Amino acid sequence: MNGILLAVPALLPIVGGTAILASGYGAGDERTYRHLEIVVEGLVLLNSLLVALLIAGGSGMDNDLVLFKLYGNLTVRFKLDRMGSVFAGLVAFLWPLATLYSFEYMRHEKRRVSFFAYYLMTYGVTIGIAFSGNLVTMYLFYELLTLVTFPLVLHPMTKEAMRASRKYLYYSIGGAAFAFIGLIFVLKYSATGTTEFVPGGVLSLTAAEGDRGTLLFVYILAFFGFGVKAAVFPCHGWLPKATVAPTPVTALLHAVAVVKSGAFAILRFTYFSYGTEFLRGSAAQWVVMAAAMVTIIFGSTMAVREIHWKRRLAYSTISNLSYILLGASMMSPLGLAAALSHMVFHAFMKICSFFCAGAVMHQTGKTYVYELDGLAKKMPLTFGCLTVASLSLMGIPLFAGFISKWNIAEAAFACGSLTLAGGSRMGILPYLGTAVILYSALMTGVYMLTVLVRAYFPKAAAAAAVKEEPYTDPNWMMMVPLLIFAAAVLVFGLYSGPLMELLTAIGGEAG
């Protein structure tokens, strides 16, 4: 396979988005805007097809490209391995559907050209993170992700959007600074003299042992640095505020692009840069495991209290992202496989939930939970999809969420019974992870079922009032993605074997 093709899925959307932004193409009448939709969807589909072909071609040693050298051993490098293929495949599947949904959602909005230009660029940057062959490349695209998503959060141009976008920028820049410290120390103690991603990590254990305490502290800093985008407590504050952005933006922020990039970066840094052999049983492992648990409890509790629908889903995201990090903190093959499974399944559950909320907002203008009474009869397909996503988020058997939560709990029990090098055990903390998962599942039931009960079983007065309203499900451009996402949640819940075999193999290789 020609290695240069690895750069195309990252660069094509960036170049295409930049060209649209510079030319202003599509800013004229509705006919011109229709042409813009065709161009954007065509580029997205082409890019997704190319990603699929690269993944189908395998991940041999020829799937490697040094785009250019920065200095010495610092290179911008793309490499397609199995873990990167999982993230890239997820993004490539979801983005065309999300783009189709946004065409209808944004039809009557202002500044649509700039919106779709940055939306397209974000796709390329996210693929760049997935295809990164070393920590330097991932860090550069991680920083670029902040720059291309900042205008999307700012898009409404209201005072609230301006405050939210500034907060997002401050948090992201601060987090990137901590992540950069981690990059420097990995480069200094690397056994290869580079920051390339290697299963098991690149640290020279002999050299690192002399500065073990410092390196463990740096790992914690980098965990929280990358964890800003994964909304780890107390670095979560930007995420609920970012719900002021249009729903197509918040859905990708909360389900795919930003938060998943943060979680993916932590998985890469933990298993492919530092390596679990150095981290397992250390104080750093305890700290990040405890941080993930605290975030799960905090996010699910705050979601119960929140009455704004999109902000409730934002707190749900905060909680669910740390399920991934909890699995990662087990520092084991099973932990990595469990983390990856929740990364995939949560993407479908959460983008479906956000798009259902967006469909209701688009069709009715209602944004608060207490306004949803009786809408299920008016929008049966939308709330049917929401029901599937909600049951999956709760971890009900036969839905995808049950599979990933079971995997994380299994990894926690395995970690708790693990005998460390000195003959000691991990102790009670991993077992507490299972209790945290059960608590969060209960809270998820409360904050998701509240919406469904109101929608399906309204009080008589509310039912009579909504009966007179002309509300309906949205058109096919919004409904087709919803139905596909809901179907995927069901399929993964009933038949996740092939995917779990792949994820288990990745875990065994790197954990």
Side-chain angles (χ1 to χ4, degrees), residues 147-158:
L147 299 180
V148 296
T149 52
F150 170 76
L152 294 173
V153 179
L154 182 62
H155 181 81
M157 295 299 290
T158 60

Side-chain angles (χ1 to χ4, degrees), residues 275-352:
T276 55
E277 183 178 350
F278 182 77
L279 295 167
R280 191 179 293 121
S282 67
Q285 183 181 11
W286 286 80
V287 169
V288 300
M289 191 181 295
M293 293 183 195
V294 169
T295 306
I296 291 171
I297 294 172
F298 170 79
S300 56
T301 304
M302 290 298 293
V304 172
R305 297 179 57 189
E306 182 58 61
I307 60 172
H308 188 279
W309 195 4
K310 282 177 66 178
R311 282 199 294 269
R312 174 174 290 195
L313 292 175
Y315 280 113
S316 172
T317 298
I318 291 171
S319 176
N320 273 269
L321 260 291
S322 278
Y323 277 76
I324 302 171
L325 305 186
L326 179 60
S329 70
M330 301 303 165
M331 309 288 180
S332 66
L334 186 56
L336 178 56
L340 288 171
S341 69
H342 197 68
M343 184 182 79
V344 173
F345 298 158
H346 175 259
F348 286 96
M349 296 184 285
K350 190 48 60 75
I351 198 170
C352 184

Side-chain angles (χ1 to χ4, degrees), residues 57-354:
S59 54
M61 292 302 293
D62 59 331
N63 289 4
D64 196 331
L65 170 69
V66 175
L67 194 61
F68 57 86
K69 289 188 176 182
L70 296 172
Y71 176 78
N73 290 330
L74 300 181
T75 60
V76 173
R77 182 183 183 212
F78 295 105
K79 184 175 182 179
L80 181 61
D81 63 6
R82 288 191 290 186
M83 183 166 158
S85 296
V86 170
F87 187 36
L90 176 67
V91 172
F93 182 84
L94 294 178
W95 218 281
L97 296 168
T99 305
L100 179 65
Y101 177 100
S102 15
F103 290 149
E104 177 62 24
Y105 191 93
M106 299 298 295
R107 189 159 306 281
H108 303 294
E109 297 287 331
K110 298 177 180 179
R111 297 176 297 280
R112 294 178 296 187
V113 173
S114 63
F115 175 89
F116 284 110
Y118 286 112
Y119 206 73
L120 186 58
M121 284 189 264
T122 302
Y123 183 16
V125 174
T126 309
I127 291 294
I129 292 173
F131 279 8
S132 293
N134 58 30
L135 191 56
V136 171
T137 307
M138 188 177 75
Y139 178 81
L140 291 175
F141 277 99
Y142 190 81
E143 285 276 57
L144 187 57
L145 184 62
T146 301
L147 299 180
V148 296
T149 52
F150 170 76
L152 294 173
V153 179
L154 182 62
H155 181 81
M157 295 299 290
T158 60
K159 288 184 179 180
E160 189 178 9
M162 291 178 185
R163 286 194 296 267
S165 59
R166 284 199 301 268
K167 194 167 191 176
Y168 171 57
L169 191 62
Y170 298 155
Y171 271 74
S172 296
I173 291 174
F178 286 124
F180 185 73
I181 296 172
L183 188 159
I184 295 300
F185 274 80
V186 167
L187 182 62
K188 179 180 179 181
Y189 289 90
S190 171
T192 62
T194 68
T195 64
E196 292 182 13
F197 292 132
V198 176
V202 295
L203 290 186
S204 170
L205 298 182
T206 304
E209 202 58 42
D211 293 313
R212 182 174 177 81
T214 301
L215 279 166
L216 292 176
F217 178 69
V218 168
Y219 172 77
I220 295 172
L221 290 181
F223 176 90
F224 282 97
F226 286 122
V228 167
K229 281 189 168 62
V232 177
F233 182 88
C235 309
H236 67 283
W238 66 270
L239 191 58
K241 299 293 185 183
T243 55
V244 300
T247 298
V249 175
T250 54
L252 287 180
L253 288 178
H254 293 236
V256 190
V258 174
V259 294
K260 289 300 189 304
S261 292
F264 181 80
I266 289 174
L267 294 177
R268 278 292 201 195
F269 189 74
T270 301
Y271 287 84
F272 289 77
S273 292
Y274 257 69
T276 55
E277 183 178 350
F278 182 77
L279 295 167
R280 191 179 293 121
S282 67
Q285 183 181 11
W286 286 80
V287 169
V288 300
M289 191 181 295
M293 293 183 195
V294 169
T295 306
I296 291 171
I297 294 172
F298 170 79
S300 56
T301 304
M302 290 298 293
V304 172
R305 297 179 57 189
E306 182 58 61
I307 60 172
H308 188 279
W309 195 4
K310 282 177 66 178
R311 282 199 294 269
R312 174 174 290 195
L313 292 175
Y315 280 113
S316 172
T317 298
I318 291 171
S319 176
N320 273 269
L321 260 291
S322 278
Y323 277 76
I324 302 171
L325 305 186
L326 179 60
S329 70
M330 301 303 165
M331 309 288 180
S332 66
L334 186 56
L336 178 56
L340 288 171
S341 69
H342 197 68
M343 184 182 79
V344 173
F345 298 158
H346 175 259
F348 286 96
M349 296 184 285
K350 190 48 60 75
I351 198 170
C352 184
S353 300
F354 264 105

